[in-house]
Amino acid sequence: MALAPARPAVLVTGTASDSHTWNLVLLQLFLEELGHPVSNLGACVTHELLVDGCRRHRPEVVVIGSVNGHGYRDGLAAVTLLRAEPDLAGMRVVVGGKLGVDGVRSLQDRGRLLAAGCDAVFDDGSLTALREFLAALPARVVTA
Amino acid sequence: MTAPAPSLGRYVAAAAAAGGLVVQPRMGFGDPRHMRAGLVGTRDAAAVTVGTVTIDSYTRVGDPAGARRALAEGGALNGYPIVSHPAAVTRSLLRGVHGPGFPVQVRHGSSHPEAIIRALTAVGLDATEGGPVSYCLPYGRTPLRASVDAWARGCELLAELAPPPRVPHLETFGGCLLGQLCPPGLLVAVSLLEALFFVEHGIREVSLSYAQQTSPEQDREAVAALRRLAAEFLPPDVHRHIVLYTYMGVFPSSAAGADLLLRASARLAVRSGAQRLIVKTPAEAHRIPTVAENVRALESAAAAAEAEVRSPADRLEPDSEVYAQARTFVEAVLELGTGTGTGIGEALRSAFARGYLDVPYCLHPDNAGRSRSFIDDRGRLRWSRTGAMPVAPDLAPAGTTADLTSSQLLAALHTMARRFDLAAEAAAPTGTAGSARAAHRTRSGAPTRPTAPPRPTPSPRPIAPTRPTTRTSGPGAGSPAGVRPPLPGVFTPSRTTDDGSRDA
Ligand code: B12
């Protein structure tokens, strides 16, 4: 008998300009092993694809991963876009990876992401921090 | 008949005839002055070099407006936006640097290369890189069919916009694909097939790439297989050489480990008979490297190559496992095209649609995604699952299945990083490897990027590249090549140190 998924559904996605996928493959496996149902949109996800993907999969958490150095910029564009869609308002959105080009975490860029409605920024790429964030999410309210 | 103008291929051939390995960086910056400083640094390095202009990701995905916006807002790009900067700007950054004595290649990773090819030919450049498969599957979600069509037009455009006596040059990226965990037979096959595709669309000078993987022995077989297949399948009058890429997967995080891996790739290039090497730097695992880091990497690779004895009798079995597998893939693809009159591009597309070619772990919608790979106990990459491919799988190691867990996958991805970080640590006096790692984690401890305006017009190099024995300028001028002062905080291993590679 299949059990109903106990953990929140997650949508893993790259950003519009980022073609790296190993991080996305790894994130998917990691999250599935934690018990989350995961859909993965892959690389170079345009704004339309991202919004469509959210409407189609109705995830509770969107995990945006980027390592090409444009992550602060592209992540900000993605979060801003998602937060402008009232029907997607309930989703958690997090961004992580190697977000700048200089290996330095930028407090300013991080602040911008949070101000735009990002729930968490993992700009040290820490999977442990992501796991802790997910574990701390309130239990899902199941509506009939 | 006019003699052909010096080209990337001719330049590399002349260096090879003189016994030298050409080294080249992966380098691109959004700011034109910074980009010029990078080319000048590359040209003036104590090595026989080719310059690189690596293009940023906005331009790659066909969003030059995005690149322009990022620049206007003062954001740093991960490459040079050649389509967004006016041609005059690009021309002036190349002026006095690019020339017969210093070829410059544009490296870009775009499945729609036309705008980039127009931009590069307009400023007098003739050499670039790509391929209908290798600039598609690893670089986004463009349908393979669209990439094949765009690349056919791209090749024809390059030939048309760089007419004789200019010599358009195209390098395959097929020998790299996703950079890691792909058994070499498939890399060699795609590299060769892309070269055939270039020739079919009017290109007469090519280079065939292969990226260093996890076993030096298997890598030497792969380069030999690529050379042999090129001789068997390319028309004899197509000018060609082999270009090796320093490892393209997860890189060692310590500076010393990264340098060991770089040097191992330089020795592999020499031993396998590759004529050009594209290097990586100790910043690879962390961030975009500085110009100075690139220059040091070029010099470190050149010195390692020079110290390596070229052994003409690299006694390899001619029918190696890699050759046999690559040839099986090549024949399966060419067979699909036989009698259809549609050419290699369509055969490649059809081969992916049927899963005859299937890149492990590739998420691209047109990749079947059924193949899986593993690294065996000798370090060789093998297939644990082959889907519909015309080759047989090997047995996955005991205790694992073809489907890896996240920690198994992470461990596989970090194979080379771990091997070379450990080798560096073992070679280093206690404490140094650790401090080297710390110094290179962020830019704070590392050299800052150049802000000074680039140097004035240099004297052009001789047409036949010569290997400089001393630096002509810059810090350490006059010191013999290969005898560099150690980097601050970085242990420079001696030549006798084990580099962690598995073959003695
Ligand atoms: C393999 C690789 C490629 C392959 C990618 C193939 C593919 N489809 O994936 C190829 C060769 C095609 C490639 C291309 C490019 N690459 Co690349 N690539 C790498 C490389 C060598 C390894 C990446 C990898 O596979 N890692 C394995 C995964 C599992 O680890 P990861 O990506 O680091 O992700 C981990 C964490 O960051 C974290 N994480 C990631 N995302 C997220 C998200 C969240 C929410 C969380 C919590 C954590 C998290 O989890 C992962 C597991 O620990 C790295 C350098 C390195 N690390 O050694 C460069 C690197 C990422 N590439 C880089 C760049 C710039 C590019 C290019 C733009 C070319 C260029 N200008 O140099 C293009 C991409 C074009 C584009 N449109 O984006 C830079 C990025 C610079 C920066 N951020 O400062 C790097 C760091 C190399 C460098 N030093 O210059 N690349």
Side-chain angles (χ1 to χ4, degrees):
Chain A
M1 195 184 76
L3 289 172
R7 304 297 307 151
V10 177
L11 182 69
V12 170
T13 178
T15 55
S17 85
D18 196 341
S19 71
H20 291 91
T21 47
W22 292 101
N23 56 325
L24 307 178
V25 170
L26 194 93
L27 279 167
Q28 172 166 7
L29 279 175
F30 177 77
L31 294 168
E32 283 172 349
E33 287 163 14
L34 291 177
H36 296 274
V38 179
S39 335
N40 192 341
L41 293 185
C44 294
V45 177
T46 60
H47 290 176
E48 302 78 75
L49 269 170
L50 178 58
V51 171
D52 284 359
C54 290
R55 296 225 162 93
R56 194 148 29 96
H57 298 288
R58 290 280 156 195
E60 282 150 87
V61 185
V62 181
V63 173
I64 302 174
S66 176
V67 297
N68 75 351
H70 293 173
Y72 282 122
R73 261 192 100 71
D74 292 348
L76 183 62
V79 173
T80 307
L81 176 88
L82 292 178
R83 290 310 184 211
E85 303 294 329
D87 63 314
L88 300 175
M91 297 181 321
R92 314 273 172 161
V93 182
V94 305
V95 177
K98 291 186 202 313
L99 300 182
V101 293
D102 52 10
V104 177
R105 296 163 66 186
S106 159
L107 281 177
Q108 201 186 23
D109 286 314
R110 195 189 161 80
R112 281 197 194 112
L113 276 167
L114 294 169
C118 199
D119 294 287
V121 180
F122 304 102
D123 47 0
D124 57 355
S126 166
L127 294 179
T128 313
L130 175 64
R131 187 179 58 209
E132 282 160 7
F133 171 88
L134 291 170
L137 287 183
R140 212 149 46 104
V141 182
V142 184
T143 46
Chain B
M1 204 185 86
T2 50
S7 62
L8 175 59
R10 272 26 179 219
Y11 177 91
V12 170
L21 176 71
V22 173
V23 291
Q24 186 181 345
R26 297 182 183 276
M27 189 198 276
F29 306 104
D31 170 35
R33 276 171 316 170
H34 198 169
M35 190 68 248
R36 180 177 168 90
L39 290 176
V40 169
T42 302
R43 184 201 56 193
D44 293 346
V48 183
T49 56
V50 164
T52 299
V53 173
T54 293
I55 305 306
D56 71 287
S57 330
Y58 292 116
T59 307
R60 289 167 185 244
V61 299
D63 180 19
R68 230 171 282 127
R69 265 199 309 278
L71 284 179
E73 291 163 21
L77 290 176
N78 57 15
Y80 182 76
I82 197 168
V83 176
S84 312
H85 282 311
V89 168
T90 307
R91 255 186 234 115
S92 68
L93 91 81
L94 293 168
R95 191 162 300 136
V97 189
H98 167 240
F102 184 59
V104 171
Q105 185 192 30
V106 172
R107 310 183 66 91
H108 63 86
S110 176
S111 55
H112 278 104
E114 298 99 311
I116 294 169
I117 286 171
R118 284 183 199 283
L120 71 93
T121 49
V123 298
L125 298 176
D126 314 314
T128 186
E129 185 209 16
V133 172
S134 64
Y135 266 22
C136 179
L137 300 193
Y139 282 111
R141 54 200 319 131
T142 304
L144 187 53
R145 184 188 297 278
S147 176
V148 164
D149 291 348
W151 268 96
R153 286 194 305 274
C155 293
E156 285 152 17
L157 205 57
L158 183 63
E160 179 195 323
L161 297 179
R166 289 168 71 179
V167 182
H169 181 99
L170 258 184
E171 169 185 330
T172 66
F173 189 67
C176 179
L177 296 177
L178 268 62
Q180 49 203 342
L181 297 188
C182 181
L186 184 57
L187 299 174
V188 167
V190 176
S191 197
L192 188 269
L193 289 161
E194 289 191 326
L196 291 176
F197 177 90
F198 295 163
V199 171
E200 189 177 271
H201 293 283
I203 301 296
R204 310 300 298 173
E205 188 186 286
V206 300
S207 41
L208 297 99
S209 69
Y210 176 72
Q212 177 187 21
Q213 303 295 325
T214 52
S215 154
E217 181 195 45
Q218 193 182 30
D219 285 343
R220 293 211 308 279
E221 287 180 15
V223 174
L226 186 54
R227 192 182 305 108
R228 179 169 165 198
L229 288 167
E232 288 166 345
F233 287 89
L234 281 176
D237 61 330
V238 168
H239 195 278
R240 91 271 322 242
H241 70 268
I242 305 269
V243 53
L244 182 77
Y245 301 164
T246 300
Y247 191 61
M248 291 294 284
V250 176
F251 224 67
S253 63
S254 69
D259 191 55
L260 282 181
L261 178 49
L262 170 68
R263 287 154 166 266
S265 71
R267 289 198 294 278
L268 170 64
V270 173
R271 280 213 228 167
S272 65
Q275 289 102 325
R276 181 159 57 100
L277 174 72
I278 318 274
V279 306
K280 291 245 168 149
T281 77
E284 176 63 17
H286 310 294
R287 55 176 166 78
I288 302 269
T290 63
V291 172
E293 285 166 330
N294 270 299
V295 170
R296 279 199 298 267
L298 292 168
E299 294 180 345
S300 181
E306 195 149 41
E308 182 70 12
V309 186
R310 206 172 265 273
S311 59
D314 199 1
R315 282 182 304 275
L316 288 174
E317 232 194 286
D319 294 313
S320 69
E321 186 184 52
V322 178
Y323 173 80
Q325 218 171 71
R327 186 160 180 130
T328 303
F329 287 127
V330 169
E331 284 175 352
V333 174
L334 294 180
E335 190 123 317
L336 286 173
T338 309
T340 62
T342 49
I344 307 224
E346 175 54 23
L348 279 166
R349 195 204 56 75
S350 158
F352 275 97
R354 294 162 192 247
Y356 290 4
L357 303 181
D358 186 349
V359 181
Y361 297 99
C362 175
L363 293 182
H364 190 284
D366 290 333
N367 187 61
R370 291 166 60 198
S371 74
R372 286 293 179 267
S373 58
F374 69 99
I375 299 167
D376 76 9
D377 52 7
R378 290 159 61 208
R380 294 173 74 101
L381 273 162
R382 294 184 178 281
W383 299 106
S384 52
R385 200 160 67 209
T386 51
M389 293 197 296
V391 297
D394 294 300
L395 270 186
T400 65
T401 67
D403 297 302
L404 302 183
T405 63
S406 63
S407 52
Q408 286 169 337
L409 176 61
L410 202 57
L413 289 168
H414 282 260
T415 301
M416 293 292 270
R418 197 172 47 241
R419 190 188 296 171
F420 284 83
D421 277 336
L422 284 175
E425 215 151 287
T430 328
T432 42
S435 62
R437 177 174 317 164
H440 280 263
R441 259 239 111 79
T442 69
R443 276 220 332 260
S444 45
T448 48
R449 294 185 178 181
T451 44
R455 291 171 352 106
T457 311
S459 53
R461 278 191 185 183
I463 287 182
T466 51
R467 176 181 291 283
T469 50
T470 56
R471 285 190 211 205
T472 52
S473 63
S479 68
V483 187
R484 298 162 304 123
L487 310 184
V490 175
F491 175 73
T492 310
S494 70
R495 263 292 293 143
T496 50
T497 305
D498 175 29
D499 64 4
S501 53
R502 298 275 171 103
D503 70 338

